[in-house]
Amino acid sequence: MEWGTQHSMQTPSTLSIWLSEQALPLAIIVVLLAFVMIVLTVSARNRRIRLNQARSGTNEDTFVDSLVVYGFDPEISRTVYRYLQDQQNVHFPIEATDMLDEDLGLDLVDLDETVRDVLQLTRRRYQPGLRHTPLVTVEDLIKFVQASPRQVDLAA
C-alpha cells in the first residue's frame, strides 16, 4: 500500500469551515439589523403621526400666510411647500422653521435637486454665488429662491 492512497476521506475546505464557524454570528447580525430596521420604521411612522397631530391646523394656506406678513413672495412659498410635499414626499404639514435635513429628511442630493427644480418652477436662474450660508431651514430655501434673479426670455 502506498502512502496517500489510503486517505479517501475528504477534508473540509477552509471556506466550509469558516462558514460553519460564522453561521451563528452572521445570523445574530441579520436579526439585529432586522430589529433596527423595524424600530426605525415604527419610529418614523410615530413621528409622522405626532407631527400631523401637533400641526393639525397647519396647511399650505396657513404656511403661505405666515410668510407673506414678512415679505415673502406667496407664489414662491406655495411652490416650495407643494414641491416638498409632492416631490420630496414630506407627508406632514411643513413649517418655515423646519430643518431641511433633520426634520424633512433631505440629504445634499435631495436639496440640490429641490433648489434647481423650484428655481425652474418659479422661472428663476440658479446663481450659486447668492448663497453665502448653507440652506438649513425651509425659510432659508424660500429666501434663496426669492433672491435669485428672474429668467429673462430671450427673443429669437
Side-chain angles (χ1 to χ4, degrees):
M1 220 184 210
E2 289 183 33
W3 180 258
T5 55
Q6 71 189 72
H7 296 295
S8 62
M9 283 188 359
Q10 186 168 357
T11 58
S13 71
T14 55
L15 178 62
S16 63
I17 292 171
W18 182 82
L19 284 175
S20 67
E21 291 174 352
Q22 302 305 318
L24 183 61
L26 286 174
I28 290 171
I29 290 171
V30 167
V31 168
L32 286 174
L33 287 175
F35 178 73
V36 167
M37 291 303 295
I38 290 169
V39 167
L40 289 174
T41 302
V42 169
S43 174
R45 186 178 60 86
N46 288 341
R47 180 177 180 275
R48 193 170 51 248
I49 289 170
R50 277 194 318 273
L51 282 171
N52 276 322
Q53 289 172 346
R55 299 177 179 187
S56 62
T58 305
N59 58 32
E60 182 180 324
D61 292 327
T62 59
F63 174 81
V64 172
D65 291 344
S66 72
L67 291 167
V68 167
V69 296
Y70 296 106
F72 286 92
D73 182 303
E75 180 186 332
I76 292 172
S77 300
R78 192 171 301 280
T79 301
V80 167
Y81 189 95
R82 286 182 183 167
Y83 183 88
L84 291 171
Q85 293 249 307
D86 298 341
Q87 304 303 314
Q88 294 298 346
N89 300 316
V90 177
H91 300 295
F92 52 84
I94 300 167
E95 293 181 349
T97 56
D98 284 343
M99 296 178 72
L100 295 165
D101 57 353
E102 293 177 21
D103 296 328
L104 305 187
L106 302 183
D107 60 20
L108 290 175
V109 173
D110 294 333
L111 181 56
D112 187 55
E113 176 186 346
T114 299
V115 167
R116 291 180 188 277
D117 289 350
V118 169
L119 286 170
Q120 185 175 10
L121 289 168
T122 57
R123 301 183 46 80
R124 305 260 174 171
R125 284 187 305 155
Y126 181 62
Q127 288 191 316
L130 288 177
R131 186 167 58 185
H132 302 292
T133 59
L135 300 178
V136 177
T137 66
V138 175
E139 185 177 326
D140 295 339
L141 173 60
I142 295 170
K143 282 180 186 174
F144 178 72
V145 172
Q146 191 163 317
S148 298
R150 288 183 171 84
Q151 290 179 351
V152 179
D153 293 328
L154 299 175

